Amino acid sequence: MKLAFSRLLLVVVALLWVGPYAWMVLTSLRTLPEIVAAPAWPLPKSIQFDAYREVLTAIPVGRYFLNTTVMAMAIALLQILLALPAGYALAKLHFVGKKVAFALVLACLLIPAQVTFVPVFSMLGPLGLVNTFAALVLPFGVSALGTFLVRQALLSVPDEMIEAARLDGASELRIVYGLLAPMLRPTLASLFLFSFVFHYNDYFWPLVMTTDDDVRTLPLAVALLREQGTGVRWHIVMAGNVILSLPVLALFAAVQKQILRAVTARVG
């Protein structure tokens, strides 16, 4: 009885999570007259793909998708590259001000990007980096969350292993990237997924940092779909959001095993 109740509860929770996405997909397969006539009824009378065809013709999806993917991928890889030595220093090295440095990392977790927009924009403007990929990537290259996650994961690594590597003549960089990075694969996969999804869906920063369509991202293009015409064409907006979400779902499916390993390690 208890097992059946637990499974029923899990099914209900899963439906609550999947329900909005399923509603979005079904709405994208309806026609606008259907939506206007019965907005609360998601099931289409007949499956229509006209909304997807209109999205693909209204905006250059391929270019926007490439811009978004390159930006999110570059940010995620750069965050991992810099979080590894930073987390290693906070977890395994001894230096003056170590506790203060860790406190600053924790404080940075509380500061949203919107707060730092004006000084960052003022710094990038004179350098001629506004309206470039550098403006989208560099401000997020260092991740306080990534540093925190790597530091916490490294606390469980025995110091004797690092000392043995030093006795074998390994440099600090070799220890960080050659020895410890493979051991932290689940943690790094979780960090990569979190960073990629966040910046892939980011709307504010690309909006204020770019004015040229050559470097603008897919969330901005999807937002423009809502403004076309005299009214909101919800089936087209939903189709655009479905297209926007597909790469993220594919990425999650690819790294879900690593995420489960990371969660299991934390629980264990």
Side-chain angles (χ1 to χ4, degrees), residues 123-187:
M123 179 177 62
L124 295 179
L127 297 176
L129 296 179
V130 175
N131 204 39
T132 65
F133 277 108
L136 300 177
V137 174
L138 293 181
F140 301 99
V142 179
S143 169
L145 176 62
T147 302
F148 174 78
L149 291 177
V150 171
R151 185 254 186 190
Q152 295 303 110
L154 287 177
L155 290 178
S156 61
V157 176
D159 293 338
E160 292 77 8
M161 185 178 298
I162 298 175
E163 292 298 330
R166 288 172 178 162
L167 291 176
D168 289 339
S171 64
E172 295 298 315
L173 290 179
R174 180 63 183 272
I175 292 174
V176 171
Y177 294 109
L179 175 65
L180 299 177
M183 298 174 57
L184 301 181
R185 190 177 291 112
T187 299

Side-chain angles (χ1 to χ4, degrees), residues 60-68 133 212-218:
V61 175
R63 185 181 67 192
Y64 284 120
F65 169 73
L66 181 62
N67 292 345
T68 309
F133 277 108
D212 191 347
D213 288 340
D214 290 337
V215 292
R216 285 202 156 183
T217 57
L218 195 54

Side-chain angles (χ1 to χ4, degrees), residues 20-42:
Y21 188 82
W23 191 293
M24 180 177 67
V25 173
L26 292 172
T27 302
S28 70
L29 300 175
R30 301 175 69 192
T31 62
L32 185 58
E34 286 184 51
I35 298 174
V36 174
W41 181 252

Side-chain angles (χ1 to χ4, degrees), residues 46-132:
S46 61
I47 297 178
Q48 303 288 334
F49 294 98
D50 294 341
Y52 291 92
R53 284 192 289 268
E54 188 159 351
V55 169
L56 295 176
T57 56
I59 59 176
V61 175
R63 185 181 67 192
Y64 284 120
F65 169 73
L66 181 62
N67 292 345
T68 309
T69 303
V70 170
M71 177 198 70
M73 189 79 68
I75 292 175
L77 293 177
L78 189 58
Q79 287 184 354
I80 291 175
L81 186 68
L82 297 179
L84 278 169
Y88 171 73
L90 292 175
K92 297 301 181 181
L93 300 183
H94 302 282
F95 55 92
V96 177
K98 179 178 177 179
K99 292 183 178 180
V100 176
F102 183 60
L104 290 175
V105 171
L106 295 179
C108 289
L109 293 173
L110 305 177
I111 303 176
Q114 289 79 359
V115 174
T116 61
F117 158 64
V118 174
V120 172
F121 188 88
S122 300
M123 179 177 62
L124 295 179
L127 297 176
L129 296 179
V130 175
N131 204 39
T132 65

Side-chain angles (χ1 to χ4, degrees), residues 203 218-227:
Y203 177 81
L218 195 54
L220 298 179
V222 172
L224 292 177
L225 294 174
R226 190 177 186 274
E227 301 174 2

